[in-house]
Coordinates of all heavy atoms in Angstrom, one line a residue:
R1 N -14.5 1.5 -17.7 CA -15.2 0.3 -17.2 C -14.2 -0.8 -16.8 O -14.3 -1.6 -15.9 CB -16.2 -0.2 -18.2 CG -17.5 0.8 -18.2 CD -18.4 0.2 -19.3 NE -19.6 1.1 -19.4 CZ -20.3 1.0 -20.5 NH1 -20.2 0.1 -21.5 NH2 -21.5 1.7 -20.5
R2 N -13.2 -1.0 -17.8 CA -12.2 -2.1 -17.5 C -11.3 -1.8 -16.4 O -10.9 -2.7 -15.5 CB -11.4 -2.3 -18.8 CG -10.4 -3.5 -18.8 CD -9.6 -3.5 -20.0 NE -8.4 -2.4 -20.0 CZ -8.4 -1.6 -21.0 NH1 -9.3 -1.5 -21.9 NH2 -7.6 -0.6 -21.0
A3 N -10.7 -0.5 -16.3 CA -9.7 -0.2 -15.3 C -10.4 0.3 -14.0 O -9.8 0.1 -13.0 CB -8.7 0.8 -15.9
G4 N -11.5 0.9 -14.2 CA -12.0 1.7 -13.0 C -12.4 0.8 -11.8 O -12.0 1.0 -10.6
P5 N -13.2 -0.4 -12.0 CA -13.4 -1.1 -10.9 C -12.1 -1.7 -10.2 O -11.9 -1.9 -9.1 CB -14.2 -2.3 -11.5 CG -14.8 -1.8 -12.7 CD -13.8 -0.8 -13.1
V6 N -11.1 -2.1 -11.1 CA -9.9 -2.7 -10.5 C -9.2 -1.6 -9.8 O -8.7 -1.9 -8.7 CB -9.0 -3.2 -11.7 CG1 -7.6 -3.7 -11.1 CG2 -9.6 -4.3 -12.4
I7 N -9.1 -0.4 -10.3 CA -8.3 0.6 -9.7 C -9.1 0.9 -8.3 O -8.4 1.3 -7.3 CB -8.2 1.8 -10.5 CG1 -7.2 1.5 -11.7 CG2 -7.7 3.2 -9.8 CD1 -7.1 2.6 -12.6
F8 N -10.5 1.0 -8.3 CA -11.1 1.3 -7.1 C -10.9 0.3 -6.0 O -10.7 0.7 -4.8 CB -12.6 1.3 -7.3 CG -13.5 1.4 -6.3 CD1 -13.8 2.7 -5.6 CD2 -14.3 0.3 -5.7 CE1 -14.4 2.8 -4.5 CE2 -15.0 0.4 -4.6 CZ -15.2 1.7 -4.0
M9 N -10.8 -1.0 -6.5 CA -10.7 -2.1 -5.4 C -9.4 -1.9 -4.8 O -9.0 -2.1 -3.6 CB -11.0 -3.5 -5.9 CG -12.5 -3.7 -6.3 SD -12.8 -5.4 -6.8 CE -12.0 -5.4 -8.5
V10 N -8.3 -1.8 -5.8 CA -6.9 -1.8 -5.4 C -6.6 -0.4 -4.5 O -5.9 -0.5 -3.4 CB -5.9 -1.6 -6.5 CG1 -4.5 -1.3 -6.2 CG2 -5.9 -3.0 -7.3
S11 N -7.3 0.6 -4.9 CA -7.2 1.9 -4.1 C -7.8 1.7 -2.7 O -7.1 2.2 -1.7 CB -7.8 3.0 -4.9 OG -7.2 3.4 -6.1
V12 N -8.8 1.1 -2.6 CA -9.5 0.9 -1.3 C -8.5 0.0 -0.4 O -8.3 0.3 0.9 CB -10.9 0.2 -1.4 CG1 -11.4 -0.4 -0.1 CG2 -11.8 1.1 -2.1
V13 N -8.1 -1.1 -0.9 CA -7.3 -2.1 -0.2 C -6.0 -1.3 0.2 O -5.6 -1.5 1.4 CB -6.9 -3.4 -0.9 CG1 -5.8 -4.2 -0.4 CG2 -8.1 -4.2 -1.3
I14 N -5.4 -0.6 -0.7 CA -4.1 0.1 -0.3 C -4.4 1.1 0.7 O -3.5 1.4 1.6 CB -3.5 0.8 -1.6 CG1 -2.9 -0.4 -2.5 CG2 -2.4 1.8 -1.2 CD1 -2.4 0.1 -3.8
W15 N -5.5 1.8 0.7 CA -5.9 2.9 1.6 C -6.0 2.3 3.0 O -5.5 2.8 4.0 CB -7.1 3.7 1.1 CG -7.3 4.7 2.1 CD1 -6.8 6.0 2.1 CD2 -8.2 4.8 3.3 NE1 -7.4 6.9 3.0 CE2 -8.2 6.0 3.9 CE3 -9.1 3.7 3.8 CZ2 -8.9 6.3 5.0 CZ3 -9.8 4.1 4.9 CH2 -9.7 5.3 5.6
F16 N -6.7 1.1 3.1 CA -6.9 0.6 4.4 C -5.6 0.1 5.0 O -5.3 0.3 6.1 CB -7.8 -0.5 4.3 CG -9.3 -0.1 4.5 CD1 -10.3 0.0 3.4 CD2 -9.9 0.1 5.7 CE1 -11.5 0.4 3.4 CE2 -11.2 0.5 5.9 CZ -11.9 0.6 4.8
L17 N -4.7 -0.5 4.1 CA -3.4 -1.1 4.6 C -2.5 0.1 5.0 O -1.7 0.0 5.9 CB -2.8 -2.0 3.5 CG -3.5 -3.3 3.2 CD1 -2.8 -4.1 2.1 CD2 -3.4 -4.1 4.5
G18 N -2.8 1.2 4.1 CA -1.9 2.4 4.5 C -2.4 3.2 5.6 O -1.7 4.0 6.2
Y19 N -3.7 3.2 5.9 CA -4.2 4.1 6.9 C -4.1 3.5 8.3 O -4.0 4.3 9.3 CB -5.7 4.4 6.6 CG -6.4 5.6 7.3 CD1 -6.1 6.9 6.9 CD2 -7.1 5.3 8.4 CE1 -6.7 7.9 7.5 CE2 -7.8 6.3 9.2 CZ -7.5 7.7 8.5 OH -8.1 8.7 9.3
F20 N -4.3 2.2 8.5 CA -4.4 1.6 9.7 C -3.0 1.0 10.0 O -2.2 0.5 9.1 CB -5.3 0.5 9.7 CG -6.8 1.2 9.7 CD1 -7.5 1.0 8.5 CD2 -7.4 1.8 10.8 CE1 -8.8 1.6 8.4 CE2 -8.6 2.4 10.7 CZ -9.3 2.2 9.5
P21 N -2.5 0.7 11.3 CA -3.3 0.9 12.5 C -3.0 2.4 13.2 O -3.7 2.6 14.2 CB -2.7 -0.1 13.4 CG -1.2 -0.2 13.1 CD -1.1 0.1 11.6
Q22 N -2.4 3.2 12.5 CA -2.0 4.5 13.2 C -2.9 5.7 12.5 O -2.4 6.8 12.5 CB -0.6 4.8 13.0 CG 0.4 3.8 13.7 CD 0.3 3.9 15.2 OE1 -0.1 4.8 15.7 NE2 0.4 2.6 15.7
N23 N -3.9 5.4 11.8 CA -4.8 6.4 11.4 C -4.2 7.4 10.4 O -4.2 8.7 10.6 CB -5.6 7.2 12.5 CG -6.5 6.2 13.4 OD1 -7.1 5.3 12.8 ND2 -6.7 6.6 14.5
G24 N -3.5 6.9 9.4 CA -3.0 7.8 8.4 C -1.4 8.0 8.4 O -0.9 8.6 7.6
E25 N -0.8 7.5 9.4 CA 0.7 7.6 9.5 C 1.2 6.4 8.6 O 1.4 5.3 9.1 CB 1.1 7.4 10.9 CG 0.8 8.6 11.8 CD 1.3 8.5 13.2 OE1 2.4 7.8 13.4 OE2 0.9 9.2 14.1
L26 N 1.6 6.8 7.4 CA 1.9 5.7 6.3 C 3.2 4.9 6.8 O 3.2 3.8 6.6 CB 2.2 6.4 5.0 CG 2.4 5.6 3.9 CD1 1.0 4.7 3.6 CD2 2.7 6.4 2.5
Q27 N 4.2 5.6 7.4 CA 5.3 4.9 7.7 C 5.2 3.8 8.8 O 5.9 2.9 8.9 CB 6.5 6.0 8.1 CG 6.8 7.0 7.1 CD 7.5 6.3 5.9 OE1 8.0 5.2 5.9 NE2 7.3 6.9 4.7
S28 N 4.2 4.0 9.6 CA 3.8 2.9 10.5 C 2.7 2.0 10.2 O 2.2 1.2 11.2 CB 3.5 3.7 11.9 OG 4.4 4.5 12.3
S29 N 2.3 2.0 8.9 CA 1.2 1.3 8.5 C 1.4 -0.2 8.2 O 2.5 -0.6 8.0 CB 0.4 2.0 7.3 OG 1.3 1.8 6.1
Y30 N 0.4 -0.9 8.0 CA 0.5 -2.4 7.6 C 1.2 -2.4 6.1 O 2.0 -3.1 5.9 CB -0.8 -3.1 7.4 CG -1.5 -3.2 8.8 CD1 -2.8 -2.7 9.0 CD2 -0.9 -3.8 9.9 CE1 -3.4 -2.9 10.1 CE2 -1.6 -4.0 11.2 CZ -2.8 -3.6 11.2 OH -3.5 -3.7 12.4
L31 N 0.8 -1.4 5.3 CA 1.3 -1.4 4.0 C 2.8 -1.1 3.9 O 3.5 -1.5 3.1 CB 0.6 -0.3 3.1 CG 0.9 -0.3 1.6 CD1 0.5 -1.6 0.9 CD2 0.2 0.9 1.0
A32 N 3.3 -0.2 5.0 CA 4.7 0.0 5.0 C 5.4 -1.3 5.4 O 6.5 -1.4 5.0 CB 5.0 1.1 6.1
M33 N 4.9 -2.0 6.3 CA 5.5 -3.3 6.6 C 5.6 -4.2 5.5 O 6.8 -4.8 5.3 CB 4.6 -4.1 7.8 CG 4.5 -3.2 9.1 SD 3.4 -4.1 10.2 CE 3.0 -2.7 11.3
I34 N 4.6 -4.3 4.7 CA 4.7 -5.2 3.5 C 5.7 -4.6 2.5 O 6.5 -5.3 2.0 CB 3.3 -5.4 2.9 CG1 2.3 -6.0 3.8 CG2 3.5 -6.2 1.5 CD1 0.9 -6.0 3.4
G35 N 5.7 -3.3 2.3 CA 6.5 -2.6 1.3 C 7.8 -2.7 1.7 O 8.9 -2.8 0.8
Q36 N 8.2 -2.5 2.9 CA 9.7 -2.5 3.2 C 10.1 -4.0 3.2 O 11.4 -4.1 3.1 CB 9.7 -2.0 4.8 CG 9.6 -0.5 4.8 CD 9.2 0.0 6.2 OE1 9.3 -0.8 7.2 NE2 8.9 1.2 6.3
W37 N 9.3 -5.0 3.2 CA 10.0 -6.3 3.0 C 10.1 -6.6 1.5 O 11.3 -7.2 1.2 CB 8.6 -7.3 3.3 CG 9.0 -8.8 3.2 CD1 9.9 -9.5 4.0 CD2 8.6 -9.6 2.1 NE1 10.0 -10.8 3.5 CE2 9.3 -11.0 2.5 CE3 7.8 -9.6 1.1 CZ2 9.0 -12.0 1.7 CZ3 7.5 -10.7 0.3 CH2 8.1 -11.9 0.5
I38 N 9.5 -5.9 0.5 CA 9.9 -6.1 -0.9 C 10.9 -5.0 -1.4 O 11.3 -5.0 -2.5 CB 8.6 -6.1 -1.8 CG1 7.9 -4.7 -1.7 CG2 7.8 -7.3 -1.3 CD1 6.8 -4.6 -2.7
E39 N 11.0 -3.9 -0.5 CA 11.9 -3.0 -0.9 C 13.3 -3.2 -1.5 O 13.8 -2.6 -2.4 CB 12.1 -1.8 0.2 CG 12.7 -0.5 -0.3 CD 12.6 0.5 0.9 OE1 12.8 0.3 2.1 OE2 12.3 1.7 0.5
P40 N 14.0 -4.2 -0.9 CA 15.3 -4.5 -1.4 C 15.3 -4.9 -2.9 O 16.3 -4.9 -3.6 CB 15.7 -5.7 -0.6 CG 15.0 -5.5 0.7 CD 13.6 -5.0 0.4
I41 N 14.1 -5.4 -3.5 CA 14.0 -5.8 -4.8 C 14.1 -4.5 -5.7 O 14.6 -4.6 -6.7 CB 12.9 -6.5 -5.1 CG1 12.7 -7.8 -4.3 CG2 12.6 -6.8 -6.7 CD1 11.4 -8.6 -4.4
F42 N 13.5 -3.4 -5.3 CA 13.4 -2.2 -6.1 C 14.4 -1.1 -5.7 O 14.5 -0.2 -6.3 CB 12.0 -1.6 -5.9 CG 10.9 -2.5 -6.5 CD1 10.3 -3.5 -5.6 CD2 10.7 -2.6 -7.8 CE1 9.2 -4.3 -6.1 CE2 9.7 -3.5 -8.3 CZ 8.9 -4.3 -7.5
E43 N 15.2 -1.4 -4.6 CA 16.1 -0.3 -4.1 C 17.2 -0.1 -5.2 O 17.6 1.1 -5.5 CB 16.7 -0.9 -2.8 CG 17.5 0.3 -2.1 CD 17.9 0.0 -0.7 OE1 17.8 -1.2 -0.3 OE2 18.5 0.7 -0.1
P44 N 17.7 -1.2 -5.9 CA 18.7 -1.0 -6.9 C 18.1 -0.2 -8.2 O 19.0 0.5 -8.9 CB 19.0 -2.3 -7.4 CG 18.7 -3.2 -6.3 CD 17.4 -2.7 -5.7
L45 N 16.9 0.1 -8.3 CA 16.4 0.8 -9.3 C 16.1 2.3 -8.9 O 15.6 3.1 -9.6 CB 15.0 0.3 -9.7 CG 14.9 -1.2 -10.2 CD1 13.6 -1.6 -10.6 CD2 16.1 -1.5 -11.2
G46 N 16.5 2.6 -7.7 CA 16.3 3.9 -7.1 C 14.9 4.1 -6.6 O 14.5 5.4 -6.6
L47 N 14.1 3.1 -6.4 CA 12.7 3.3 -5.9 C 12.5 2.8 -4.6 O 13.1 1.7 -4.1 CB 11.8 2.5 -6.9 CG 12.0 2.9 -8.3 CD1 11.1 1.9 -9.3 CD2 11.6 4.3 -8.7

């Protein structure tokens, strides 16, 4: 009950950002644009 609703909402948001605008091509998605902006922070960690 505590984690389920939060995970559901986050999963839905991430899915939409990751699915569009290229219908499932993750590397060209809105999420990839956001992620690549923050990637330099996590790149030293091998992630």
Side-chain angles (χ1 to χ4, degrees):
R1 286 174 181 172
R2 185 185 70 243
V6 177
I7 290 176
F8 173 76
M9 289 187 292
V10 169
S11 297
V12 170
V13 171
I14 288 177
W15 184 85
F16 272 102
L17 290 175
Y19 195 81
F20 295 104
Q22 298 295 328
N23 294 332
E25 291 186 18
L26 188 61
Q27 297 299 331
S28 304
S29 68
Y30 297 126
L31 190 63
M33 299 176 193
I34 298 170
Q36 287 161 9
W37 181 72
I38 64 170
E39 189 171 40
I41 300 173
F42 297 97
E43 193 172 2
L45 309 184
L47 304 172

